[in-house]
Amino acid sequence: VFSSIDQYGRYAWDKQPVIALWNLTRLAEAMLPLIDQSRERAIELAQDELKNFMPTFETAFEAGLLVKLGILNRKEGDATFIASTLQHMIDTEADFTNFFSQLSELPATPENVWQASWRNRLAEEKSDHATQVETMRATNPTYIPRNHRVEFAISAAHAGDLKPFHRLVSVISQPFGSRPEDAEFALPPTAMEEVHQTFCGT
């Protein structure tokens, strides 16, 4: 859940497509007088357009995730593979960013069923391994503005110290690749560092 005030998960990560469609529907309602002079005709035209959203979103979402996995050519069965990938991440409690950023570093010999399935899917690609690795490294950031790092920088700034803020900005301005001196910024929060109160503007 992105915002801690969203108690029912209305805007949770897996609800984003549905809530985006809901928001677009409200926008369309406000624009009805601009679409057609006849309200009935305006509603019909708006509904026809809104029907395109979910298929368009799913296609873009799947394409985006496939690239993160090093897969450039979509094929039948990829939606199922993506679903199994997300389920694997849930089951293993994987950190979203680190899961993808570390894919290009995995050993050639699969360590689990999902890795074997992923390696098999990569083998079906027309691109060579080097291109796949390059694609993953160019698509999957190592460093992101994690909530606990942002909170630390804000707290320090309130105390008059802007160094953590400038360091954070410097690190996330170069999100790709791995740098030993910035390794701590790739780490998920410890139990003590977890931020439990987040808002829409966080």
Side-chain angles (χ1 to χ4, degrees), residues 146-167:
R146 293 177 180 273
N147 282 346
H148 69 294
R149 291 287 172 190
V150 172
E151 284 294 322
F152 179 76
I154 290 172
S155 296
H158 279 300
D161 181 7
L162 289 174
K163 288 178 185 173
F165 168 75
H166 290 300
R167 175 91 193 282

Side-chain angles (χ1 to χ4, degrees), residues 15-26:
K15 301 290 192 303
Q16 290 295 298
V18 174
I19 204 63
L21 179 57
W22 186 88
N23 285 334
L24 287 171
T25 303
R26 303 293 79 78

Side-chain angles (χ1 to χ4, degrees), residues 21-197:
L21 179 57
W22 186 88
N23 285 334
L24 287 171
T25 303
R26 303 293 79 78
L27 176 62
E29 288 172 354
M31 295 177 66
L32 288 177
L34 302 173
I35 296 173
D36 196 279
Q37 290 182 345
S38 163
R39 181 171 173 79
E40 291 74 22
R41 178 67 178 145
I43 290 172
E44 183 183 334
L45 290 169
Q47 288 176 336
D48 285 346
E49 289 300 319
L50 290 168
K51 286 176 187 172
N52 295 323
F53 174 77
M54 204 57 80
T56 302
F57 176 88
E58 288 173 0
T59 298
F61 176 76
E62 289 174 8
L65 270 182
L66 288 174
V67 171
K68 291 176 78 60
L69 293 163
I71 300 167
L72 299 176
N73 303 294
R74 190 176 178 196
K75 58 175 283 189
E76 190 176 342
D78 279 343
T80 302
F81 176 64
I82 287 170
S84 70
T85 297
L86 294 173
Q87 188 59 55
H88 170 72
M89 293 172 70
I90 291 168
D91 293 343
T92 59
E93 298 183 358
D95 177 88
F96 189 90
T97 301
N98 289 345
F99 176 86
F100 289 105
S101 69
Q102 294 170 2
L103 281 180
S104 58
E105 310 300 329
L106 289 179
T109 305
E111 297 176 350
N112 56 51
V113 173
W114 180 84
Q115 284 185 22
S117 175
W118 173 61
R119 291 283 183 202
N120 289 339
R121 180 61 188 86
L122 283 178
E124 296 171 357
E125 285 288 284
K126 296 174 183 174
S127 57
D128 59 31
H129 181 67
T131 301
Q132 293 167 351
V133 168
E134 183 181 335
T135 298
M136 288 184 281
R137 288 183 178 163
T139 308
N140 299 316
T142 302
Y143 309 105
I144 61 168
R146 293 177 180 273
N147 282 346
H148 69 294
R149 291 287 172 190
V150 172
E151 284 294 322
F152 179 76
I154 290 172
S155 296
H158 279 300
D161 181 7
L162 289 174
K163 288 178 185 173
F165 168 75
H166 290 300
R167 175 91 193 282
L168 177 62
V169 169
S170 175
V171 171
I172 63 174
S173 294
Q174 300 176 41
F176 300 101
S178 183
R179 301 178 295 275
E181 66 273 18
D182 296 325
E184 64 191 276
F185 287 87
L187 299 175
T190 64
M192 296 292 292
E193 293 174 319
E194 284 185 13
V195 176
H196 297 285
Q197 193 169 24

